[in-house]
Amino acid sequence: QFGFKRMLLGYAVGVGEAFRDIEPYEEIGGIEAKCLGSVYALLEKLEYYAKLLNTNHSAEQWFTLLPQLLEDFFLATEDKERKTLDTLTVSLARWQQSCILAKLGEGESDKLSAAIVKETWLSSVDEPGFQKIFLTGKVNFCTLMPMRSIPFPVVCILGMNDGDFPRNKAPQSFDLMSLPNHYRPGDRSRRQDDQYVFLEALLSARKQLYISWVGRSIRDNTVIPPSVLISQLRETISKSWCLSEDENVSLINAITLEHPLQPFSLRYIEKERDARLFTYAHEWFAQKTIANNTLQIKNVAVDTHLQLPIIVLGRFLKAPVKTYCMHTLKFNFEDSAEELRNDDEPFDFNHLEQYQFRDELLTALKASDAKMAHLDAFFEKQQTKMNGQGLFPLGHFKEITFDDMVIPVKSAWLTYQTHLVQWPTVCESVNIKQEFSLANGVTVQLSGQFNTLRQNGNEHALIICTAQTLLSNGVIKYHNFCHHWVTHLLLCVAEKPVQSIIVGSDTVCYIQPLSIEESKTYLRQLLESWQNGLQQPLPIAIKTAFAYLNDSELKNAFTKAKKAYEGDGFMSDGELGEDSYLQRFYPSFEILMSPSTFEAWAEVLYRQMLTHIEEGA
């Protein structure tokens, strides 16, 4: 127990130093650590009952121990769980009464083991409850069972889906009756039993018979057949009866009602709809009415004043189609429950993991404000900490992996310090809010907070240090500059001319100051594009757009754009293979180009980035 408590303390100390060589989980420090307290309490209870259940007890001792066990381990929050606990309690009371009648004493020979108690107690719970009350009120719910052919005014049979009824039971290997050519007259057949109880249910209905099944796929709306028994019944009705003397009027179609999949379907509010179609979800139709099967939407007050953080505009600029899916359709392809790291032993990391580890090192370096002479000691301390967290491979691999992480971080940090010397004065934190009036009358307030502004005389600069590489084959990776670009524009609108300096691990890029009018024009274009991007998925992809804009010759531009989008078929899958959202709406370069607006969106969204972002010495 002491070892486990020490482990809990090591994990749950929050942000801080290691406790007895156990690195903490920073995200579960403080109040969040109460979950570990629950785990510890559970393990203590399990250890306590493990000792008790390994010992034989008298019947009276078991009757005291088992209710306490239920109370300690189970908390009913739903009706089904309460019913299960009630069944266990009733079964235990019934067994206690049997023990009293049998006069089980407290002698050594009368003591019972946990195995006997388990078999006696739980087996009675699993027994079929034919003795349970069937008729409980005006509305009765039950399963289809033989000998229940009691007349009822209305009989409703639900869930008659294909494959669900008749019920299927997996055959046992020792069951000779289930083998081919071994069935004899009189042998029990679950399929025939279900056919019989279905016939009984039909005969029990006196005024109305209601049968339902899932008749359409929720994915593509294709027709799904009902149970074979329902199909036989429908076929018999269609061949035997018609609605009137005209044989072309089908009775089966008149008594079959197909419900829409969603509660907000327009079929529920059409003026000439089937009278049997209704819905209780009236909130979907508060602003809609149907007249002559034509949709008319009442005028609804639209919010004409919006507030938008600058980071949202940067995310839209980097992935317009993803923004449409997440903000308008409210879905994403990323699995939030997916583990960040694989359970397999790591020997190498992908590009995303490398960037995450380098960014953690750089963040720790900024927080520690380590001096130039103490960098080696700092990195050695970080290596010990990250090894304790189990982030790196075992053995000699961890030194090689950590060196690969440190070299670009150290290079970026040294260059960053050089630029800080050139811009010695630290400015106060700036919170900017700027309003823009768009063409459709909507006003958007763009906001952002900046803590890293520096000054040299009358000139201002925003200096950003990142662990990323800024070049790929000698070309600037513009898709990594979206947030820096919109941030630069907002600063140029609200402050004096500002220069942005982005320090990477391989080079330094600059965005020169822009005039206030230029910055406002560019931001207004981006905001209007953002509004369009929330109404439909824009036919644009950022890497493909820059591949197109980077070449002045039109024919070569489209060739490079297609290669950037679809890849070369060998070493690269292109931007399409990396983005599930593009695969959903634009699965090929031809489809992306089909609206004939790709070039226009590329010019509006990304031309100015290509013009103003440049690599420095």
Side-chain angles (χ1 to χ4, degrees):
Q1 285 189 0
F2 174 74
F4 182 70
K5 289 179 180 177
R6 187 176 70 178
M7 182 179 71
L8 286 180
L9 287 173
Y11 285 139
V13 293
V15 180
E17 300 296 328
F19 178 80
R20 298 199 178 186
D21 298 328
I22 298 176
E23 292 293 336
Y25 283 114
E26 298 180 357
E27 62 270 18
I28 60 173
I31 298 177
E32 289 82 1
K34 66 180 182 180
C35 298
L36 288 178
S38 301
V39 174
Y40 179 66
L42 173 63
L43 292 178
E44 273 194 329
K45 287 290 184 183
L46 289 174
E47 184 180 9
Y48 169 73
Y49 280 102
K51 294 178 180 178
L52 287 179
L53 296 179
N54 282 330
T55 307
N56 296 342
H57 300 285
S58 65
E60 286 299 326
Q61 290 173 331
W62 280 115
F63 300 143
T64 304
L65 173 63
L66 295 178
Q68 187 62 40
L69 183 144
L70 292 178
E71 183 178 349
D72 289 341
F73 284 99
F74 300 102
L75 177 63
T77 57
E78 300 177 356
D79 291 340
K80 184 177 180 180
E81 295 172 351
R82 295 187 187 95
K83 183 178 179 180
T84 301
L85 288 179
D86 291 342
T87 303
L88 288 170
T89 304
V90 171
S91 177
L92 184 61
R94 191 181 300 115
W95 180 52
Q96 181 180 11
Q97 186 67 26
S98 301
C99 291
I100 293 174
L101 294 176
K103 297 182 180 180
L104 279 177
E106 298 185 359
E108 194 66 30
S109 60
D110 289 340
K111 290 189 176 181
L112 306 174
S113 65
I116 296 175
V117 173
K118 170 191 170 185
E119 181 66 25
T120 307
W121 184 23
L122 301 184
S123 62
S124 61
V125 175
D126 295 334
E127 290 177 357
F130 289 103
Q131 73 281 5
K132 296 179 182 178
I133 299 175
F134 170 46
L135 297 175
T136 57
K138 294 184 177 180
V139 179
N140 299 280
F141 292 88
C142 65
T143 185
L144 288 175
M145 296 182 65
M147 306 305 293
R148 279 193 172 170
S149 55
I150 302 175
F152 288 97
V154 179
V155 173
C156 301
I157 309 177
L158 311 180
M160 301 300 285
N161 306 319
D162 184 30
D164 293 342
F165 195 87
R167 290 163 286 193
N168 295 319
K169 183 179 181 182
Q172 302 291 340
S173 59
F174 54 82
D175 186 4
L176 299 180
M177 291 188 296
S178 62
L179 298 178
N181 302 323
H182 281 68
Y183 179 81
R184 297 179 179 179
D187 290 345
R188 182 173 183 182
S189 170
R190 173 58 66 89
R191 190 176 187 85
Q192 291 182 358
D193 288 348
D194 284 344
Q195 292 175 349
Y196 174 74
V197 297
F198 180 68
L199 179 60
E200 280 193 332
L202 296 184
L203 297 175
S204 299
R206 287 296 174 260
K207 289 184 179 180
Q208 185 175 358
L209 175 65
Y210 174 92
I211 302 174
S212 72
W213 67 91
V214 176
R216 296 272 183 178
S217 171
I218 62 173
R219 296 185 179 275
D220 53 13
N221 205 39
T222 55
V223 177
I224 299 177
S227 166
V228 62
L229 299 180
I230 304 301
S231 298
Q232 293 173 357
L233 177 63
R234 287 171 55 83
E235 184 179 359
T236 302
I237 294 175
S238 62
K239 290 183 178 181
S240 303
W241 293 278
C242 59
L243 193 60
S244 64
E245 295 180 356
D246 186 0
E247 296 181 357
N248 295 324
V249 181
S250 174
L251 173 62
I252 192 64
N253 293 333
I255 64 176
T256 302
L257 177 62
E258 182 176 343
H259 290 269
L261 178 62
Q262 294 90 359
F264 49 82
S265 172
L266 296 180
R267 288 180 56 196
Y268 282 120
I269 55 174
E270 290 175 347
K271 187 175 182 180
E272 298 178 359
R273 68 180 185 276
D274 191 317
R276 296 171 295 176
L277 279 177
F278 70 95
T279 177
Y280 293 104
H282 299 294
E283 65 274 9
W284 294 105
F285 315 116
Q287 304 297 335
K288 299 182 179 69
T289 58
I290 292 290
N292 298 324
N293 295 332
T294 303
L295 177 63
Q296 296 178 348
I297 303 179
K298 297 179 181 179
N299 293 327
V300 184
V302 179
D303 190 1
T304 58
H305 190 85
L306 304 175
Q307 295 183 351
L308 188 69
I310 193 68
I311 190 173
V312 175
L313 191 59
R315 289 172 179 168
F316 161 76
L317 192 60
K318 187 171 185 179
V321 178
K322 180 178 179 180
T323 301
Y324 170 76
C325 293
M326 297 188 67
H327 289 267
T328 303
L329 301 183
K330 305 297 182 183
F331 82 89
N332 63 78
F333 287 113
E334 285 82 9
D335 186 3
S336 59
E338 184 180 358
E339 296 183 359
L340 296 179
R341 298 182 178 90
N342 203 322
D343 291 337
D344 298 334
E345 182 180 355
F347 290 97
D348 197 7
F349 302 108
N350 58 37
H351 295 298
L352 177 60
E353 291 172 330
Q354 289 178 2
Y355 167 71
Q356 288 174 339
F357 288 139
R358 290 172 184 172
D359 189 61
E360 289 178 9
L361 281 175
L362 191 59
T363 303
L365 195 56
K366 293 177 182 178
S368 66
D369 197 19
K371 303 298 180 183
M372 307 288 278
H374 301 143
L375 285 182
D376 292 336
F378 169 80
F379 286 124
E380 184 177 352
K381 181 180 178 181
Q382 288 299 312
Q383 182 179 8
T384 303
K385 178 180 178 181
M386 298 178 89
N387 284 334
Q389 294 174 338
L391 301 179
F392 293 134
L394 301 176
H396 189 58
F397 290 103
K398 61 185 177 185
E399 284 82 10
I400 299 175
T401 305
F402 190 76
D403 289 342
D404 291 340
M405 302 292 173
V406 167
I407 292 173
V409 172
K410 191 173 182 179
S411 173
W413 180 255
L414 293 177
T415 309
Y416 177 63
Q417 294 298 318
T418 304
H419 282 80
L420 292 185
V421 173
Q422 299 174 7
W423 301 84
T425 306
V426 180
C427 300
E428 296 182 357
S429 177
V430 178
N431 189 10
I432 298 177
K433 295 182 179 180
Q434 189 72 31
E435 287 193 354
F436 296 86
S437 298
L438 306 185
N440 59 355
V442 176
T443 302
V444 180
Q445 185 185 74
L446 204 59
S447 62
Q449 186 168 0
F450 308 94
N451 303 319
T452 56
L453 278 174
R454 300 183 75 90
Q455 187 174 356
N456 185 3
N458 293 327
E459 297 181 347
H460 294 77
L462 178 66
I463 306 178
I464 302 169
C465 183
T466 175
Q468 289 178 313
T469 57
L470 303 182
L471 301 179
S472 176
N473 297 324
V475 180
I476 297 176
K477 296 193 289 188
Y478 293 97
H479 57 275
N480 290 333
F481 286 79
C482 294
H483 181 65
H484 305 318
W485 172 244
V486 295
T487 298
H488 180 80
L489 292 179
L490 184 60
L491 282 170
C492 289
V493 168
E495 292 290 315
K496 297 178 180 179
V498 175
Q499 179 182 188
S500 292
I501 304 173
I502 299 94
V503 180
S505 60
D506 54 349
T507 188
V508 180
C509 290
Y510 298 89
I511 310 177
Q512 298 302 333
L514 299 172
S515 67
I516 294 178
E517 289 303 320
E518 277 185 308
S519 303
K520 283 186 176 181
T521 301
Y522 298 155
L523 278 177
R524 189 175 291 108
Q525 288 178 351
L526 292 179
L527 288 171
E528 290 176 349
S529 302
W530 168 74
Q531 276 204 316
N532 281 300
L534 295 184
Q535 298 172 16
Q536 60 182 342
L538 301 183
I540 191 70
I542 183 169
K543 295 181 182 179
T544 307
F546 279 111
Y548 166 78
L549 295 173
N550 253 327
D551 201 307
S552 57
E553 188 175 344
L554 187 61
K555 183 177 180 181
N556 291 338
F558 280 111
T559 302
K560 290 183 178 180
K562 182 175 181 179
K563 183 178 179 180
Y565 191 71
E566 297 182 347
D568 53 15
F570 297 99
M571 301 298 293
S572 171
D573 293 330
E575 189 173 8
L576 178 64
E578 301 170 356
D579 195 323
S580 301
Y581 303 93
L582 291 175
Q583 295 171 19
R584 169 62 180 83
F585 291 98
Y586 304 106
S588 69
F589 185 71
E590 287 72 19
I591 296 178
L592 182 73
M593 299 294 296
S594 60
S596 300
T597 55
F598 170 84
E599 303 96 315
W601 285 116
E603 292 288 340
V604 170
L605 293 176
Y606 304 117
R607 172 62 73 180
Q608 301 306 326
M609 289 180 63
L610 185 68
T611 303
H612 293 90
I613 299 175
E614 56 187 17
E615 182 190 359

